[in-house]
Amino acid sequence: MAIATSGKTNSIDLINLLAVGVFGSGTFLLTLCILPVLPYSMAYASDHRAQAVRLWSVRIGIARYAVSKFIAAVAMGMLAYILGMALFLAVSSIGLPLFTEMTVDDGYACLLAEGRPIAYLLCFVLHYAFSAGLFAGCALFFSACIPNAFAAMVLPILCYFVYLRICNFVAVPEAVSAVELVQSIYAAGSPMQTLFTKAGAVLAVLAVLCFLSVILIRRRVFHE
């Protein structure tokens, strides 16, 4: 993102540059769908390949093992995005003011109108961190279905594109549509309502995937 936005000399402030970096640099799928998967979402596939699942499940139980793997994958996926954005902002802040005038229009823009750019950045980054965590959790779920690292990385993106197509033909609630759930900001009223709506939708999906992951991992352990 820093390289892609290095020539954007017309950016008037850091928040404008962030919007260009997230949406206009061509790195959107990379930063949200691929990189958050790498830290921990393939851990179960690695354990299965190393035949270490039974060792850990005997010590702490299959359910606790599966849930801990899932939570760690989601948390590390979110943290990877947050730290990546923090690094991008730190590098890009050299020579740029934080905020000068309104250039964005999303569910958190009212924070800028109130003169709270730090709060806007926090909400913006956390909002998309939930998207990153969603892909990380999906990757671990698919690795429970097919304990293969390549499948864990590719299948969440394929499912996202399929769901994107489905939303074009089937009416689904806007807050849980493919665009709003992953790559856009659904304005629910206030900034807190917007963030809670995103968090609630993502956490609901992750809870279902975590439950299914436990069932799949338990079944695989019992049949090995």
Side-chain angles (χ1 to χ4, degrees):
M1 286 175 60
I3 294 172
T5 58
S6 60
K8 304 296 182 179
T9 56
N10 59 339
S11 298
I12 58 176
D13 55 42
L14 187 60
I15 289 177
N16 178 56
L17 189 69
L18 175 64
V20 173
V22 171
F23 302 112
S25 64
T27 62
F28 185 80
L29 287 177
L30 177 66
T31 56
L32 275 184
C33 307
I34 298 177
L35 295 181
V37 171
L38 298 180
Y40 212 73
S41 296
M42 293 174 283
Y44 169 70
S46 299
D47 284 355
H48 182 269
R49 185 172 61 251
Q51 299 182 346
V53 176
R54 187 173 295 277
L55 172 66
W56 290 110
S57 61
V58 166
R59 294 187 176 189
I60 63 174
I62 300 174
R64 290 180 63 185
Y65 166 82
V67 171
S68 66
K69 289 289 183 183
F70 193 90
I71 292 176
V74 172
M76 292 302 102
M78 294 181 66
L79 189 60
Y81 185 83
I82 291 172
L83 293 179
M85 291 302 104
L87 179 61
F88 170 75
L89 290 170
V91 171
S92 302
S93 64
I94 302 173
L96 273 181
L98 177 59
F99 174 65
T100 55
E101 67 178 68
M102 187 77 69
T103 57
V104 296
D105 183 19
D106 54 43
Y108 305 113
C110 61
L111 294 172
L112 296 176
E114 297 170 0
R116 301 165 60 191
I118 297 296
Y120 174 86
L121 287 176
L122 291 175
C123 289
F124 184 92
V125 172
L126 186 58
H127 183 97
Y128 285 107
F130 278 111
S131 296
L134 177 62
F135 275 91
C138 286
L140 192 130
F141 163 72
F142 283 117
S143 74
C145 298
I146 307 172
N148 178 277
F150 179 77
M153 182 180 297
V154 172
L155 286 177
I157 302 177
L158 294 180
C159 287
Y160 168 64
F161 285 134
V162 171
Y163 185 46
L164 194 62
R165 291 295 183 184
I166 291 174
C167 291
N168 290 334
F169 299 100
V170 179
V172 299
E174 187 178 0
V176 294
S177 66
V179 173
E180 301 293 345
L181 193 62
V182 176
Q183 69 184 56
S184 186
I185 297 178
Y186 173 74
S190 68
M192 287 298 98
Q193 288 175 327
T194 299
L195 187 59
F196 287 151
T197 300
K198 176 61 176 283
V202 169
L203 292 177
V205 175
L206 289 175
V208 174
L209 294 179
C210 182
F211 177 74
L212 295 176
S213 298
V214 172
I215 294 176
L216 291 170
I217 292 175
R218 184 192 299 273
R219 180 176 299 174
R220 179 164 282 108
V221 170
F222 285 158
H223 286 81
E224 283 180 345

